[in-house]
């Protein structure tokens, strides 16, 4: 007999290094009395990431949203940008803050990334770039998008907020397109409390990004552009360095959780998980999305979301509503009916997945979902029998 969890099970919990390890790091900060503004720990963290990603074209920020905003500004993107409505709202906000018009295009049904087949029809003389999200850490259709961008002379920018640790053909996902932005927010499998990173092809952009995140200062007396303040501080960098040391373990644990979900939910009618990723993709198990088919499951996503709360399981409806349905974007161009994006947004539920989640809890969550479905299906057939249907 399964019981509700005694404590809430959230969609995610941040990984934390052992407290004594972090305290030792804090001692260094105390000794340095250097808290932010390109401090020694930030320099060390930057160096480690440059090594890990085998590039010097990398810049750190205090969060992913400002990283993307500054990237678009530094690359002088303007006019219209083709983008996905099935993403976190910050992807679109970064365009808006740069006075760029987002043009929403539908997603593909397997992994929910921007559908290249729909992108070309949305290109106008004002289009300057494609901004696609590797949603849930699933790589976009990289070759097809690159081909469209090349033929139409557009910049190809990836919101790679979910994609830390993902490789394709042993090459980091960061090296596809002109620029990729990663979020190091606490809810991400790799985090620095808050934080963001961009990795880019054009080495000439580095100094622009460095100026833009530090008020435009070139030196004490020269401001070369109207920048903002988006610097990563020493505490963030310390957390980033320490979490980086556990990355492989974190991803390994998540992969075991994902495998348990796949096994535990495979026979539950009306629960669709994404197909396994192509063998050349090393995935990071950033999220555990499941689509709920109301007809087959016996209840819709909303009802299941609420029902699970009774069991103390707090799933999330990432990414519902679609960005174009938020009040502030309702007047924005939508290209085509967004059939797939609307269907997915109405059916998606992201299940709990994080390194400290017990495997037995994952089994229990599957069991709860299965029992909800069975009870609902039983009630439906009893109802149909009593009404003679
Ligand atoms: N692009 C994409 C595609 C993104 O997904 C995001 C961020 C961005 C851009 C922007 O990057 P950042 O500027 O954030 O670096 C969360 C995160 O705040 C956000 O970073 C993330 N995407 C988005 C998908 O999710 P919320 O409002 O859903 O988070 P919240 O506070 O409800 O947390 C979710 C659960 O995590 C909680 O129920 C419990 C747990 N939690 C959370 C925090 C913050 C903890 O256990 N401890 C914590 O400290 O937005």
């Amino acid at each position: 007999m399964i019981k509700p969890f005694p404590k809430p099970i959230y969609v995610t919990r941040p990984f934390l290094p052992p407290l004594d390890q972090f305290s030792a790091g804090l001692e260094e900060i105390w000794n340095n009395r250097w808290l932010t503004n390109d401090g020694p720990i930030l320099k060390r963290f930057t160096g480690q990431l440059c090594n890990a990603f085998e590039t010097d074209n990398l810049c750190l920020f205090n969060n992913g949203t400002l990283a993307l905003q500054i990237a678009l500004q530094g690359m002088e993107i303007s006019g219209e940008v083709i983008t996905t409505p099935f993403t976190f709202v910050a992807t679109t906000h970064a365009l808006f803050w740069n006075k760029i018009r987002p043009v929403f295009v539908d997603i593909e049904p397997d992994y929910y990334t921007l559908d290249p087949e729909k992108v070309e029809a949305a290109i106008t003389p004002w289009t300057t770039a494609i901004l696609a999200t590797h949603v849930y850490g699933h790589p976009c259709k990289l070759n097809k998008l690159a081909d469209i961008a090349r033929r139409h002379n557009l910049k190809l920018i990836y919101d790679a907020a979910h994609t830390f640790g993902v490789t394709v053909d042993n090459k980091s996902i960061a090296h596809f397109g002109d620029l990729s932005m990663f979020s190091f927010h606490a809810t991400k499998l790799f985090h620095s409390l808050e934080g963001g990173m961009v990795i880019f092809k054009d080495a000439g952009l580095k100094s622009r990004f460095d100026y833009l995140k530090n008020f435009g200062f070139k030196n004490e007396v020269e401001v070369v552009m109207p920048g903002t303040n988006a610097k990563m501080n020493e505490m963030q960098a310390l957390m980033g360095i320490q979490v980086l040391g556990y990355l492989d373990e974190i991803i390994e644990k998540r992969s075991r959780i994902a495998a348990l979900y796949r096994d535990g939910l495979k026979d539950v009618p009306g629960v669709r998980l994404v197909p396994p990723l192509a063998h050349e993709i090393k995935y990071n198990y950033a999220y555990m999305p499941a689509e709920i088919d109301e007809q087959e499951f016996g209840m819709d996503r909303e009802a299941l979301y609420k029902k699970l709360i009774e069991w103390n399981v707090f799933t999330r409806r990432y990414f519902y509503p679609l960005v174009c349905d938020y009040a502030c974007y309702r007047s924005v161009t939508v290209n085509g009916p967004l059939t797939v994006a609307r269907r997915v947004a109405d059916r998606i539920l992201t299940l709990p997945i994080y390194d400290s989640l017990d495997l037995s809890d994952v089994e229990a969550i599957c069991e709860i979902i299965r029992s909800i479905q069975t009870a609902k299906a039983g009630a439906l057939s009893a109802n149909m029998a009593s009404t003679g249907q």
Side-chain angles (χ1 to χ4, degrees), residues 119-178:
V119 167
E120 208 142 6
I123 296 172
T124 72
W126 296 278
T127 312
T128 57
I130 299 168
L131 172 56
T133 300
H134 301 305
V135 70
Y136 306 134
H138 304 149
C140 291
K141 306 285 176 220
L142 302 164
N143 294 337
K144 287 191 174 171
L145 289 177
D147 179 55
I148 296 170
R150 186 185 43 76
R151 284 190 287 105
H152 293 273
N153 196 23
L154 304 175
K155 292 287 181 216
L156 179 54
I157 300 169
Y158 284 116
D159 181 331
H162 305 165
T163 329
F164 200 88
V166 172
T167 62
V168 181
D169 279 328
N170 292 320
K171 177 169 144 180
S172 167
I173 192 84
H175 299 305
F176 294 85
D178 294 290

Side-chain angles (χ1 to χ4, degrees), residues 12-14 64-65 87-88 159 161-162 183 185 187-188 316 318:
T12 192
R13 301 311 315 260
T65 305
T87 183
F88 189 58
D159 181 331
H162 305 165
S183 164
H185 185 263
T187 54
K188 301 292 184 287
R316 291 297 289 262
Y318 294 136

Side-chain angles (χ1 to χ4, degrees), residues 159-319:
D159 181 331
H162 305 165
T163 329
F164 200 88
V166 172
T167 62
V168 181
D169 279 328
N170 292 320
K171 177 169 144 180
S172 167
I173 192 84
H175 299 305
F176 294 85
D178 294 290
L179 178 139
S180 299
M181 179 284 286
F182 294 81
S183 164
F184 298 170
H185 185 263
T187 54
K188 301 292 184 287
L189 73 127
F190 172 75
H191 75 93
S192 58
L193 305 171
E194 295 243 16
M197 171 176 81
V198 293
I199 292 188
F200 40 94
K201 282 224 160 66
D202 175 4
L205 289 170
K206 175 138 178 62
S207 56
R208 292 182 67 83
F209 294 157
D210 284 340
Y211 296 144
L212 283 169
K213 74 173 172 181
N214 188 27
F215 312 101
F217 275 117
K218 185 172 186 184
N219 53 47
E220 277 183 44
V221 291
E222 277 182 278
V223 170
V224 290
M225 55 187 77
T228 183
N229 180 1
K231 291 164 276 126
M232 179 177 276
N233 66 48
E234 291 290 274
M235 301 269 185
Q236 291 175 286
L238 175 64
M239 182 60 92
I241 287 176
Q242 297 203 356
V243 178
L244 195 56
Y246 294 90
L247 182 68
D248 291 343
E249 271 177 54
I250 293 169
I251 293 180
E252 215 283 311
K253 176 70 186 292
R254 284 172 169 262
S255 80
R256 289 164 63 197
I257 292 172
L260 270 187
Y261 273 124
R262 282 195 174 276
D263 193 48
L265 297 174
K266 67 174 184 291
D267 298 326
V268 182
V271 177
R272 176 204 178 262
L273 304 180
V274 301
L277 286 148
H279 70 277
E280 67 271 18
I281 297 170
K282 183 176 158 263
Y283 185 46
N284 63 0
Y285 307 92
Y287 289 84
M288 190 69 219
E291 264 183 73
I292 307 304
D293 180 313
E294 182 181 359
Q295 296 300 320
E296 288 179 37
F297 190 81
M299 73 172 50
D300 66 6
R301 185 275 314 275
E302 285 305 296
L304 178 59
Y305 167 79
K306 289 187 188 128
K307 194 84 195 154
L308 286 169
I309 294 174
E310 293 173 19
W311 295 82
N312 234 350
V313 178
F314 291 81
T315 60
R316 291 297 289 262
R317 291 159 290 184
Y318 294 136
F319 289 98

